Amino acid sequence: MGLLLRLLYVLPIEIVNYQFLLHGHSHVAMLGWVYLMIYSLIVHFFIPKTAQQKPVYNRLFWVTEIAVIGMMFRFPVEGYALFSIVFSTLHIFCSYYFCRLVWKDAHTDALPEKLLLRTALFFMILSTLGVWCLGPAVGLLGKASAFYQIAIQFFLHFQFNGWFLFAILALFIHQLKVNIDEKQFRLFYNLFVTATISTLALPVSWYLPNPVFHWINSLGVVLQLLSFIILIQIIRPHFQTFFSTLRPIEKLLYGFALTSLFLKVIIQLIVLIPEFAQISHQIRNLVIGYIHLTMLGIITGFLFAFLLKNSFLNKENNWIKYGIKLFIMSFILTELILFFQGIYFFLAKEQLPMYYQNLFITSIFLPIAILMIIFSLFKGIIKSHKY
Protein backbone atom coordinates (compact mmCIF):
# COMPACT_ATOMS: atom_id res chain seq x y z
CA MET A 1 0.00 0.00 0.00
CA GLY A 2 2.88 2.35 0.78
CA LEU A 3 4.54 1.51 -2.54
CA LEU A 4 1.28 2.28 -4.39
CA LEU A 5 1.15 5.67 -2.63
CA ARG A 6 4.60 6.49 -4.03
CA LEU A 7 3.64 5.17 -7.48
CA LEU A 8 0.73 7.65 -7.61
CA TYR A 9 3.23 10.53 -7.71
CA VAL A 10 4.98 8.93 -10.70
CA LEU A 11 1.94 7.52 -12.50
CA PRO A 12 -1.41 8.97 -11.34
CA ILE A 13 -4.20 6.38 -11.28
CA GLU A 14 -7.59 8.08 -11.30
CA ILE A 15 -9.53 5.25 -9.70
CA VAL A 16 -7.29 5.35 -6.59
CA ASN A 17 -8.05 8.01 -3.98
CA TYR A 18 -4.67 8.99 -2.50
CA GLN A 19 -6.06 10.20 0.85
CA PHE A 20 -8.23 7.11 1.34
CA LEU A 21 -5.29 4.82 0.51
CA LEU A 22 -3.08 6.78 2.92
CA HIS A 23 -5.58 6.14 5.73
CA GLY A 24 -5.57 2.42 4.88
CA HIS A 25 -1.76 2.28 4.75
CA SER A 26 -1.27 4.00 8.12
CA HIS A 27 -3.97 1.99 9.93
CA VAL A 28 -2.72 -1.37 8.64
CA ALA A 29 0.93 -0.52 9.41
CA MET A 30 0.18 0.63 12.97
CA LEU A 31 -2.75 -1.55 14.02
CA GLY A 32 -1.90 -4.57 11.87
CA TRP A 33 1.84 -5.09 11.76
CA VAL A 34 3.07 -3.30 14.89
CA TYR A 35 0.07 -3.86 17.19
CA LEU A 36 -0.37 -7.55 16.40
CA MET A 37 3.35 -8.25 16.62
CA ILE A 38 3.62 -6.56 20.02
CA TYR A 39 0.44 -8.41 21.09
CA SER A 40 2.06 -11.75 20.21
CA LEU A 41 5.39 -10.97 21.89
CA ILE A 42 3.78 -9.66 25.09
CA VAL A 43 1.64 -12.79 25.38
CA HIS A 44 4.66 -15.03 24.66
CA PHE A 45 7.10 -13.39 27.08
CA PHE A 46 4.95 -11.93 29.87
CA ILE A 47 1.88 -14.17 30.15
CA PRO A 48 2.44 -17.46 32.05
CA LYS A 49 1.89 -20.63 30.00
CA THR A 50 -1.20 -21.58 32.00
CA ALA A 51 -2.85 -18.23 31.16
CA GLN A 52 -1.65 -18.36 27.53
CA GLN A 53 -3.63 -21.55 27.07
CA LYS A 54 -6.89 -19.72 27.74
CA PRO A 55 -8.88 -19.62 24.47
CA VAL A 56 -9.51 -15.90 25.00
CA TYR A 57 -6.03 -14.82 23.82
CA ASN A 58 -6.29 -16.76 20.58
CA ARG A 59 -9.88 -15.65 19.90
CA LEU A 60 -9.11 -12.02 20.69
CA PHE A 61 -6.12 -12.12 18.33
CA TRP A 62 -8.27 -13.29 15.42
CA VAL A 63 -11.09 -10.83 16.13
CA THR A 64 -8.44 -8.07 16.12
CA GLU A 65 -7.07 -9.51 12.85
CA ILE A 66 -10.56 -9.32 11.32
CA ALA A 67 -10.76 -5.65 12.38
CA VAL A 68 -7.43 -4.96 10.63
CA ILE A 69 -8.48 -6.76 7.44
CA GLY A 70 -11.74 -4.79 7.47
CA MET A 71 -9.80 -1.52 7.69
CA MET A 72 -7.41 -2.68 4.98
CA PHE A 73 -10.28 -3.17 2.51
CA ARG A 74 -12.61 -0.35 3.54
CA PHE A 75 -10.32 2.64 4.11
CA PRO A 76 -8.94 2.70 0.52
CA VAL A 77 -12.51 2.57 -0.81
CA GLU A 78 -14.39 4.96 1.47
CA GLY A 79 -11.92 6.76 3.76
CA TYR A 80 -13.46 7.60 7.14
CA ALA A 81 -17.00 6.28 6.62
CA LEU A 82 -19.41 3.77 8.14
CA PHE A 83 -17.60 0.44 7.66
CA SER A 84 -14.06 1.72 8.22
CA ILE A 85 -15.20 3.43 11.44
CA VAL A 86 -16.97 0.22 12.57
CA PHE A 87 -13.77 -1.82 12.07
CA SER A 88 -11.63 0.89 13.73
CA THR A 89 -13.98 0.96 16.72
CA LEU A 90 -13.88 -2.85 16.94
CA HIS A 91 -10.08 -2.67 17.06
CA ILE A 92 -10.18 -0.11 19.89
CA PHE A 93 -12.50 -2.28 22.00
CA CYS A 94 -10.29 -5.32 21.29
CA SER A 95 -7.27 -3.32 22.50
CA TYR A 96 -9.12 -2.35 25.70
CA TYR A 97 -9.88 -6.00 26.39
CA PHE A 98 -6.27 -6.93 25.63
CA CYS A 99 -5.07 -4.34 28.19
CA ARG A 100 -7.41 -5.79 30.81
CA LEU A 101 -6.18 -9.33 30.17
CA VAL A 102 -2.48 -8.42 30.23
CA TRP A 103 -2.83 -6.22 33.32
CA LYS A 104 -4.45 -9.18 35.12
CA ASP A 105 -2.35 -12.08 33.76
CA ALA A 106 1.11 -10.66 33.07
CA HIS A 107 3.80 -11.86 35.43
CA THR A 108 7.37 -10.64 35.80
CA ASP A 109 9.53 -10.37 38.89
CA ALA A 110 11.58 -7.55 37.36
CA LEU A 111 10.36 -4.05 38.23
CA PRO A 112 11.69 -2.40 35.00
CA GLU A 113 9.76 -4.79 32.75
CA LYS A 114 6.58 -4.49 34.84
CA LEU A 115 6.68 -0.67 34.89
CA LEU A 116 7.43 -0.34 31.18
CA LEU A 117 4.76 -2.86 30.18
CA ARG A 118 2.02 -1.31 32.33
CA THR A 119 2.96 2.20 31.18
CA ALA A 120 2.78 1.04 27.55
CA LEU A 121 -0.74 -0.27 28.15
CA PHE A 122 -1.71 2.98 29.90
CA PHE A 123 -0.48 5.07 26.97
CA MET A 124 -2.35 2.85 24.53
CA ILE A 125 -5.63 3.52 26.34
CA LEU A 126 -4.77 7.21 26.75
CA SER A 127 -4.07 7.58 23.01
CA THR A 128 -7.61 6.45 22.13
CA LEU A 129 -9.06 9.53 23.85
CA GLY A 130 -7.93 11.38 20.76
CA VAL A 131 -10.02 9.08 18.57
CA TRP A 132 -13.14 9.57 20.69
CA CYS A 133 -12.70 13.35 20.36
CA LEU A 134 -12.79 13.23 16.54
CA GLY A 135 -16.58 12.94 16.28
CA PRO A 136 -17.35 15.90 18.58
CA ALA A 137 -14.55 17.91 16.90
CA VAL A 138 -16.07 17.43 13.43
CA GLY A 139 -19.62 18.04 14.69
CA LEU A 140 -18.77 21.20 16.63
CA LEU A 141 -15.93 22.85 14.71
CA GLY A 142 -15.22 20.85 11.52
CA LYS A 143 -12.17 19.00 10.20
CA ALA A 144 -10.20 22.19 9.63
CA SER A 145 -10.38 23.12 13.32
CA ALA A 146 -7.43 23.05 15.73
CA PHE A 147 -9.46 20.74 18.01
CA TYR A 148 -9.76 18.09 15.27
CA GLN A 149 -6.07 18.27 14.29
CA ILE A 150 -4.86 18.16 17.91
CA ALA A 151 -7.08 15.11 18.58
CA ILE A 152 -5.33 13.27 15.70
CA GLN A 153 -1.88 14.32 16.94
CA PHE A 154 -2.78 13.24 20.48
CA PHE A 155 -3.63 9.75 19.23
CA LEU A 156 -0.51 9.44 17.06
CA HIS A 157 1.86 10.85 19.69
CA PHE A 158 0.82 8.46 22.45
CA GLN A 159 0.68 5.51 20.04
CA PHE A 160 4.19 6.00 18.64
CA ASN A 161 6.03 7.54 21.59
CA GLY A 162 3.93 5.94 24.32
CA TRP A 163 2.37 2.54 23.61
CA PHE A 164 4.77 1.32 20.89
CA LEU A 165 8.04 2.66 22.28
CA PHE A 166 7.42 1.66 25.91
CA ALA A 167 6.32 -1.84 24.82
CA ILE A 168 9.48 -2.20 22.69
CA LEU A 169 11.65 -1.11 25.64
CA ALA A 170 9.88 -3.58 27.96
CA LEU A 171 10.61 -6.39 25.49
CA PHE A 172 14.21 -5.21 25.00
CA ILE A 173 14.93 -5.14 28.74
CA HIS A 174 13.41 -8.62 28.95
CA GLN A 175 15.81 -9.83 26.22
CA LEU A 176 18.81 -8.56 28.20
CA LYS A 177 17.92 -10.89 31.11
CA VAL A 178 19.99 -8.95 33.67
CA ASN A 179 19.38 -7.43 37.08
CA ILE A 180 19.02 -3.66 36.77
CA ASP A 181 19.57 -1.19 39.59
CA GLU A 182 16.02 -0.15 40.53
CA LYS A 183 16.97 3.32 41.78
CA GLN A 184 18.77 4.15 38.54
CA PHE A 185 15.93 2.69 36.49
CA ARG A 186 13.29 4.73 38.33
CA LEU A 187 15.20 7.91 37.47
CA PHE A 188 15.24 6.92 33.79
CA TYR A 189 11.57 5.96 33.92
CA ASN A 190 10.37 9.19 35.61
CA LEU A 191 12.35 11.34 33.18
CA PHE A 192 11.16 9.38 30.15
CA VAL A 193 7.46 9.43 31.11
CA THR A 194 7.66 13.19 31.79
CA ALA A 195 9.42 13.70 28.45
CA THR A 196 6.81 11.64 26.58
CA ILE A 197 3.97 13.76 27.98
CA SER A 198 5.82 17.07 27.55
CA THR A 199 6.76 16.53 23.89
CA LEU A 200 3.06 16.45 22.97
CA ALA A 201 3.43 20.24 23.16
CA LEU A 202 5.21 20.32 19.78
CA PRO A 203 2.28 19.07 17.62
CA VAL A 204 -0.10 21.17 19.75
CA SER A 205 1.99 24.27 18.95
CA TRP A 206 1.41 23.72 15.22
CA TYR A 207 -2.28 24.50 15.68
CA LEU A 208 -2.24 26.73 18.79
CA PRO A 209 0.75 29.07 18.33
CA ASN A 210 1.99 30.09 21.76
CA PRO A 211 5.58 30.35 23.09
CA VAL A 212 4.67 28.31 26.17
CA PHE A 213 4.29 25.16 24.04
CA HIS A 214 7.79 25.61 22.62
CA TRP A 215 9.25 25.77 26.13
CA ILE A 216 7.26 22.74 27.34
CA ASN A 217 8.44 20.74 24.33
CA SER A 218 12.03 21.95 24.86
CA LEU A 219 11.89 20.72 28.45
CA GLY A 220 10.55 17.37 27.24
CA VAL A 221 13.27 17.00 24.60
CA VAL A 222 16.03 17.73 27.14
CA LEU A 223 14.52 15.30 29.66
CA GLN A 224 14.30 12.67 26.93
CA LEU A 225 18.00 13.13 26.16
CA LEU A 226 18.86 12.78 29.86
CA SER A 227 16.67 9.70 30.19
CA PHE A 228 18.44 7.97 27.29
CA ILE A 229 21.87 8.87 28.67
CA ILE A 230 20.80 7.13 31.90
CA LEU A 231 19.42 4.18 29.89
CA ILE A 232 22.80 3.81 28.15
CA GLN A 233 24.50 3.81 31.54
CA ILE A 234 22.06 1.12 32.74
CA ILE A 235 22.53 -1.29 29.82
CA ARG A 236 26.19 -0.58 28.89
CA PRO A 237 27.72 -2.94 31.54
CA HIS A 238 25.55 -5.80 30.23
CA PHE A 239 25.42 -5.03 26.53
CA GLN A 240 28.80 -6.47 25.54
CA THR A 241 27.87 -9.83 27.08
CA PHE A 242 24.46 -9.68 25.41
CA PHE A 243 25.95 -8.67 22.05
CA SER A 244 28.58 -11.43 22.14
CA THR A 245 25.86 -14.11 22.11
CA LEU A 246 24.23 -12.76 18.93
CA ARG A 247 24.67 -13.96 15.35
CA PRO A 248 25.89 -11.39 12.77
CA ILE A 249 22.38 -10.78 11.38
CA GLU A 250 21.05 -10.20 14.92
CA LYS A 251 23.89 -7.77 15.68
CA LEU A 252 23.05 -5.92 12.46
CA LEU A 253 19.38 -5.58 13.47
CA TYR A 254 20.00 -4.48 17.05
CA GLY A 255 22.61 -2.00 15.81
CA PHE A 256 20.16 -0.74 13.17
CA ALA A 257 17.33 -0.30 15.69
CA LEU A 258 19.49 1.40 18.33
CA THR A 259 21.03 3.73 15.71
CA SER A 260 17.53 4.69 14.56
CA LEU A 261 16.57 5.40 18.19
CA PHE A 262 19.68 7.58 18.59
CA LEU A 263 18.82 9.51 15.40
CA LYS A 264 15.25 10.08 16.63
CA VAL A 265 16.56 11.66 19.85
CA ILE A 266 19.00 13.85 17.88
CA ILE A 267 16.32 14.99 15.41
CA GLN A 268 14.04 15.98 18.30
CA LEU A 269 16.90 18.06 19.74
CA ILE A 270 16.98 20.10 16.52
CA VAL A 271 13.47 21.43 17.16
CA LEU A 272 14.83 23.23 20.23
CA ILE A 273 15.58 25.93 17.65
CA PRO A 274 12.26 27.81 17.30
CA GLU A 275 12.61 28.24 13.51
CA PHE A 276 12.92 24.47 13.05
CA ALA A 277 10.01 23.83 15.39
CA GLN A 278 7.81 26.10 13.29
CA ILE A 279 8.59 24.39 9.96
CA SER A 280 8.87 20.84 11.35
CA HIS A 281 5.37 19.92 10.18
CA GLN A 282 5.24 22.12 7.07
CA ILE A 283 7.84 20.18 5.08
CA ARG A 284 6.04 16.92 4.37
CA ASN A 285 9.21 15.06 3.35
CA LEU A 286 10.72 15.57 6.81
CA VAL A 287 7.49 14.48 8.52
CA ILE A 288 7.27 11.26 6.48
CA GLY A 289 10.97 10.59 7.00
CA TYR A 290 10.63 11.03 10.76
CA ILE A 291 7.52 8.79 10.98
CA HIS A 292 9.25 6.06 8.97
CA LEU A 293 12.39 6.41 11.10
CA THR A 294 10.23 5.53 14.11
CA MET A 295 8.05 2.86 12.47
CA LEU A 296 10.53 1.10 10.19
CA GLY A 297 13.82 1.95 11.89
CA ILE A 298 13.17 1.72 15.63
CA ILE A 299 10.01 -0.36 16.05
CA THR A 300 10.33 -2.75 13.09
CA GLY A 301 14.10 -3.02 13.64
CA PHE A 302 13.59 -4.16 17.23
CA LEU A 303 10.68 -6.45 16.30
CA PHE A 304 12.77 -8.25 13.65
CA ALA A 305 15.63 -8.51 16.16
CA PHE A 306 13.34 -10.07 18.80
CA LEU A 307 11.96 -12.54 16.25
CA LEU A 308 15.44 -13.65 15.18
CA LYS A 309 16.95 -13.84 18.66
CA ASN A 310 14.12 -16.05 19.89
CA SER A 311 14.13 -18.25 16.76
CA PHE A 312 10.66 -17.22 15.57
CA LEU A 313 12.54 -16.49 12.33
CA ASN A 314 15.25 -18.89 11.20
CA LYS A 315 18.50 -16.91 11.55
CA GLU A 316 20.33 -19.45 9.34
CA ASN A 317 17.91 -19.10 6.42
CA ASN A 318 19.39 -17.14 3.51
CA TRP A 319 15.99 -15.85 2.36
CA ILE A 320 15.47 -14.24 5.75
CA LYS A 321 19.04 -12.91 6.03
CA TYR A 322 19.01 -11.36 2.56
CA GLY A 323 15.44 -10.15 3.04
CA ILE A 324 16.38 -8.27 6.21
CA LYS A 325 19.53 -6.80 4.62
CA LEU A 326 17.48 -5.69 1.59
CA PHE A 327 14.89 -4.15 3.93
CA ILE A 328 17.55 -2.13 5.78
CA MET A 329 19.20 -1.03 2.52
CA SER A 330 15.88 0.13 1.04
CA PHE A 331 14.94 1.91 4.27
CA ILE A 332 18.25 3.82 4.38
CA LEU A 333 18.00 4.87 0.71
CA THR A 334 14.39 6.08 1.04
CA GLU A 335 15.21 7.97 4.27
CA LEU A 336 18.19 9.70 2.63
CA ILE A 337 16.03 10.80 -0.31
CA LEU A 338 13.23 12.07 1.97
CA PHE A 339 15.52 13.98 4.33
CA PHE A 340 17.71 15.45 1.56
CA GLN A 341 14.59 16.68 -0.23
CA GLY A 342 13.27 18.13 3.03
CA ILE A 343 16.56 19.97 3.62
CA TYR A 344 16.47 21.25 0.04
CA PHE A 345 13.00 22.71 0.62
CA PHE A 346 14.15 24.21 3.92
CA LEU A 347 17.00 25.94 2.06
CA ALA A 348 14.43 27.25 -0.46
CA LYS A 349 15.93 25.17 -3.26
CA GLU A 350 14.12 23.26 -5.97
CA GLN A 351 13.05 19.64 -6.03
CA LEU A 352 15.79 17.03 -6.40
CA PRO A 353 16.12 15.63 -9.95
CA MET A 354 13.91 12.55 -10.48
CA TYR A 355 12.82 12.80 -6.82
CA TYR A 356 9.53 10.90 -7.07
CA GLN A 357 10.93 8.33 -9.49
CA ASN A 358 13.96 7.60 -7.28
CA LEU A 359 11.78 7.41 -4.16
CA PHE A 360 9.49 4.91 -5.88
CA ILE A 361 12.36 2.77 -7.23
CA THR A 362 14.14 2.54 -3.87
CA SER A 363 10.81 1.77 -2.15
CA ILE A 364 10.21 -1.28 -4.38
CA PHE A 365 12.72 -3.25 -2.34
CA LEU A 366 10.75 -2.86 0.94
CA PRO A 367 7.81 -5.12 -0.03
CA ILE A 368 10.20 -7.45 -1.92
CA ALA A 369 12.25 -7.86 1.29
CA ILE A 370 9.12 -8.58 3.35
CA LEU A 371 7.88 -11.08 0.73
CA MET A 372 11.23 -12.89 0.95
CA ILE A 373 10.74 -13.27 4.72
CA ILE A 374 7.10 -14.40 4.27
CA PHE A 375 8.17 -16.90 1.58
CA SER A 376 10.73 -18.40 3.95
CA LEU A 377 8.13 -18.68 6.74
CA PHE A 378 5.61 -20.51 4.53
CA LYS A 379 8.36 -22.68 3.10
CA GLY A 380 9.35 -23.66 6.67
CA ILE A 381 5.72 -24.42 7.62
CA ILE A 382 5.23 -26.63 4.54
CA LYS A 383 8.53 -28.42 5.22
CA SER A 384 7.62 -29.08 8.89
CA HIS A 385 4.21 -30.52 7.92
CA LYS A 386 5.83 -32.73 5.30
CA TYR A 387 7.92 -34.43 7.99
Side-chain angles (χ1 to χ4, degrees):
M1 294 171 86
L3 184 63
L4 180 55
L5 285 169
R6 287 182 175 171
L7 175 63
L8 293 176
Y9 279 98
V10 179
L11 182 68
I13 303 169
E14 289 186 9
I15 60 169
V16 179
N17 184 303
Y18 180 89
Q19 202 62 39
F20 291 176
L21 182 62
L22 180 62
H23 291 320
H25 165 67
S26 59
H27 279 78
V28 171
M30 290 173 59
L31 306 180
W33 159 239
V34 177
Y35 178 93
L36 289 174
M37 197 69 256
I38 291 176
Y39 179 117
S40 303
L41 292 172
I42 286 175
V43 171
H44 181 80
F45 289 117
F46 294 119
I47 306 300
K49 297 297 179 187
T50 51
Q52 279 184 38
Q53 291 166 3
K54 294 177 184 176
V56 64
Y57 282 103
N58 193 46
R59 289 172 184 166
L60 180 61
F61 179 90
W62 289 110
V63 173
T64 309
E65 179 72 65
I66 290 166
V68 173
I69 293 170
M71 288 185 278
M72 182 176 73
F73 283 108
R74 295 312 304 175
F75 268 114
V77 174
E78 63 182 10
Y80 278 99
L82 176 61
F83 289 107
S84 59
I85 290 172
V86 167
F87 285 118
S88 301
T89 305
L90 174 61
H91 195 288
I92 289 174
F93 284 119
C94 285
S95 68
Y96 287 168
Y97 192 39
F98 174 68
C99 286
R100 181 177 178 273
L101 288 171
V102 173
W103 199 281
K104 180 167 60 77
D105 292 339
H107 176 75
T108 173
D109 295 325
L111 176 72
E113 295 169 23
K114 185 176 182 179
L115 269 179
L116 288 169
L117 178 60
R118 289 199 164 186
T119 307
L121 297 174
F122 169 76
F123 278 132
M124 188 228 283
I125 294 171
L126 181 66
S127 72
T128 60
L129 295 180
V131 178
W132 298 125
C133 286
L134 291 177
V138 172
L140 294 171
L141 301 169
K143 286 189 176 182
S145 67
F147 182 22
Y148 180 83
Q149 297 299 329
I150 289 170
I152 292 174
Q153 295 301 327
F154 185 94
F155 170 73
L156 293 175
H157 178 81
F158 286 116
Q159 281 276 310
F160 282 102
N161 300 300
W163 156 228
F164 291 159
L165 197 49
F166 275 79
I168 290 294
L169 287 174
L171 290 163
F172 178 55
I173 296 295
H174 182 79
Q175 300 300 301
L176 289 177
K177 292 182 170 61
V178 294
N179 291 321
I180 291 173
D181 179 74
E182 289 189 4
K183 186 178 178 182
Q184 200 176 18
F185 175 79
R186 281 188 184 276
L187 179 58
F188 154 75
Y189 173 81
N190 291 332
L191 288 173
F192 192 39
V193 169
T194 307
T196 302
I197 296 168
S198 301
T199 48
L200 175 65
L202 177 63
V204 171
S205 71
W206 298 338
Y207 307 102
L208 296 175
N210 190 308
V212 72
F213 292 120
H214 171 71
W215 293 113
I216 294 172
N217 177 66
S218 299
L219 174 65
V221 168
V222 172
L223 292 179
Q224 179 179 258
L225 177 63
L226 291 174
S227 70
F228 276 101
I229 290 171
I230 294 167
L231 180 64
I232 291 168
Q233 291 175 341
I234 290 171
I235 66 174
R236 187 169 56 183
H238 315 287
F239 199 70
Q240 190 171 355
T241 305
F242 172 76
F243 221 66
S244 65
T245 63
L246 302 178
R247 300 292 177 89
I249 189 66
E250 295 170 86
K251 290 179 181 178
L252 174 67
L253 273 170
Y254 275 109
F256 167 66
L258 289 167
T259 302
S260 299
L261 183 58
F262 171 77
L263 289 173
K264 176 184 182 291
V265 174
I266 296 301
I267 289 170
Q268 285 184 274
L269 283 173
I270 295 172
V271 298
L272 290 175
I273 304 167
E275 291 76 15
F276 281 106
Q278 285 298 317
I279 59 93
S280 58
H281 76 296
Q282 295 170 358
I283 300 177
R284 184 172 173 79
N285 317 76
L286 295 178
V287 174
I288 295 171
Y290 177 78
I291 291 171
H292 286 182
L293 176 67
T294 304
M295 277 287 289
L296 301 180
I298 302 168
I299 298 168
T300 299
F302 272 117
L303 289 175
F304 277 154
F306 299 153
L307 292 174
L308 277 173
K309 185 178 184 302
N310 295 279
S311 300
F312 299 127
L313 292 176
N314 183 356
K315 60 194 81 175
E316 302 299 333
N317 187 287
N318 284 329
W319 281 91
I320 287 175
K321 287 195 283 189
Y322 289 127
I324 285 170
K325 288 175 182 177
L326 186 64
F327 179 89
I328 293 173
M329 181 202 76
S330 182
F331 167 79
I332 291 171
L333 289 174
T334 54
E335 287 292 280
L336 287 173
I337 293 170
L338 284 165
F339 277 106
F340 272 123
Q341 182 59 79
I343 293 167
Y344 254 55
F345 282 147
F346 176 72
L347 298 174
K349 293 188 177 183
E350 296 181 1
Q351 190 168 282
L352 291 169
M354 301 282 289
Y355 167 68
Y356 289 119
Q357 290 86 346
N358 288 330
L359 190 59
F360 172 71
I361 290 167
T362 52
S363 300
I364 291 172
F365 300 109
L366 286 169
I368 289 175
I370 296 164
L371 285 169
M372 288 171 70
I373 296 169
I374 292 171
F375 172 76
S376 172
L377 282 170
F378 278 106
K379 191 178 175 185
I381 291 167
I382 293 167
K383 190 176 179 180
S384 65
H385 279 294
K386 193 178 288 184
Y387 296 103

